[in-house]
């Protein structure tokens, strides 16, 4: 084999870089959505859901609008198979919470191709259950859940004339189908 010289990275260089990492525990204020829920990170990053996207918008239009807030990791703009037009929403992924928050704050309720778009976090944690439901010790609140009231089943028109159940037959002991028909 030929003499091959390889450069080996110095691990101490990376140790200094790893110390400068973005805060992994975002503040509650940063993760609040427009509706007040708590945003959660997807597996790879923070996903922004953009709704009311014009049917003729392109990926380039969205890239241009959202690029200024940070590096876009991924962009999904789904098309209708039948018409070929945009379905009306887009998913934009940022690697950091700060970039996603700035994109939401900077683009929510703004115009894209003469149509108002709305931006918010795509993944949210549901709000905590009511305190009374969890006071019994069951986190899901199932212990205090009431059983729904029974309701009368709907009947086809004229079912009573054709031998269907009437008030009298409801009180009688159940019998076989052959006895009711014959």
């Amino acid at each position: 084999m030929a003499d091959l010289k390889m450069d080996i990275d110095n691990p101490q260089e990376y140790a200094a870089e790893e110390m400068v990492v973005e805060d992994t525990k975002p503040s509650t204020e940063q993760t609040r959505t427009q509706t007040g829920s708590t945003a959660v990170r997807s597996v790879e990053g923070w996903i922004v859901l953009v709704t009311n996207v014009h049917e003729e918008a392109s990926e380039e239009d969205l890239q241009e609008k959202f690029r200024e807030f940070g590096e876009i990791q991924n962009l999904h703009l789904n098309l209708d198979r039948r018409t070929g037009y945009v379905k009306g929403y887009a998913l934009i992924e940022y690697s950091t919470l700060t970039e996603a928050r700035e994109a939401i704050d900077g683009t929510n309720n703004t115009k894209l191709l003469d149509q108002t778009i709305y931006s918010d976090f795509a993944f949210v944690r549901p709000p905590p259950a009511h305190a009374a439901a969890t006071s019994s010790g069951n986190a899901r609140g199932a212990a205090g859940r009431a059983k729904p009231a029974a309701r009368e089943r709907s009947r086809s028109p004229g079912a009573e004339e054709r031998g269907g159940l009437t008030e009298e037959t409801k009180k009688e002991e159940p019998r076989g189908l052959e006895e009711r028909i014959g």
Side-chain angles (χ1 to χ4, degrees):
M1 285 217 153
D3 289 331
L4 200 59
K5 191 171 186 176
M6 291 179 113
D7 290 335
I8 299 175
D9 293 335
N10 184 357
Q12 291 176 355
E13 291 176 23
Y14 293 113
E17 289 178 12
E18 288 176 6
M19 294 183 76
V20 183
V21 175
E22 185 176 325
D23 187 15
T24 56
K25 292 223 175 193
S27 71
T28 307
E29 184 178 312
Q30 278 187 314
T31 59
R32 287 285 175 219
T33 64
Q34 302 293 332
T35 60
S37 299
T38 303
V40 292
R41 187 179 191 276
S42 75
V43 175
E44 296 181 6
W46 296 89
I47 310 291
V48 176
L49 173 67
V50 184
T51 57
N52 202 31
V53 177
H54 193 276
E55 65 182 11
E56 293 180 357
S58 67
E59 285 190 13
E60 290 79 25
D61 294 329
L62 286 163
Q63 286 272 1
E64 187 178 309
K65 182 118 178 135
F66 285 85
R67 182 180 307 134
E68 67 184 86
F69 303 106
E71 183 182 348
I72 296 173
Q73 300 296 318
N74 206 344
L75 187 141
H76 282 278
L77 187 63
N78 293 334
L79 303 178
D80 187 307
R81 288 182 190 162
R82 187 174 53 84
T83 64
Y85 288 117
V86 173
K87 284 190 170 184
Y89 69 93
L91 297 166
I92 302 173
E93 179 181 341
Y94 290 98
S95 59
T96 66
L97 174 62
T98 307
E99 292 172 341
R101 170 52 63 198
E102 288 175 4
I104 290 168
D105 292 341
T107 61
N108 188 40
N109 218 4
T110 60
K111 296 275 187 185
L112 177 69
L113 298 179
D114 296 328
Q115 192 162 319
T116 303
I117 60 171
Y118 305 98
S119 305
D120 207 349
F121 287 103
F123 299 111
V124 296
R125 181 177 297 124
H130 191 307
T134 60
S135 63
S136 66
N138 185 350
R140 296 185 184 188
R145 200 174 297 157
K147 197 172 188 179
R151 59 183 177 160
E152 186 68 28
R153 295 183 67 187
S154 63
R155 304 279 179 220
S156 301
E160 292 179 10
E161 292 97 37
R162 293 192 306 267
L165 292 177
T166 63
E167 290 301 319
E168 295 172 353
T169 57
K170 286 180 189 175
K171 295 176 185 173
E172 293 177 7
E173 194 171 312
R175 49 190 174 155
L177 181 62
E178 297 83 19
E179 292 178 28
R180 279 194 271 163
I181 296 175

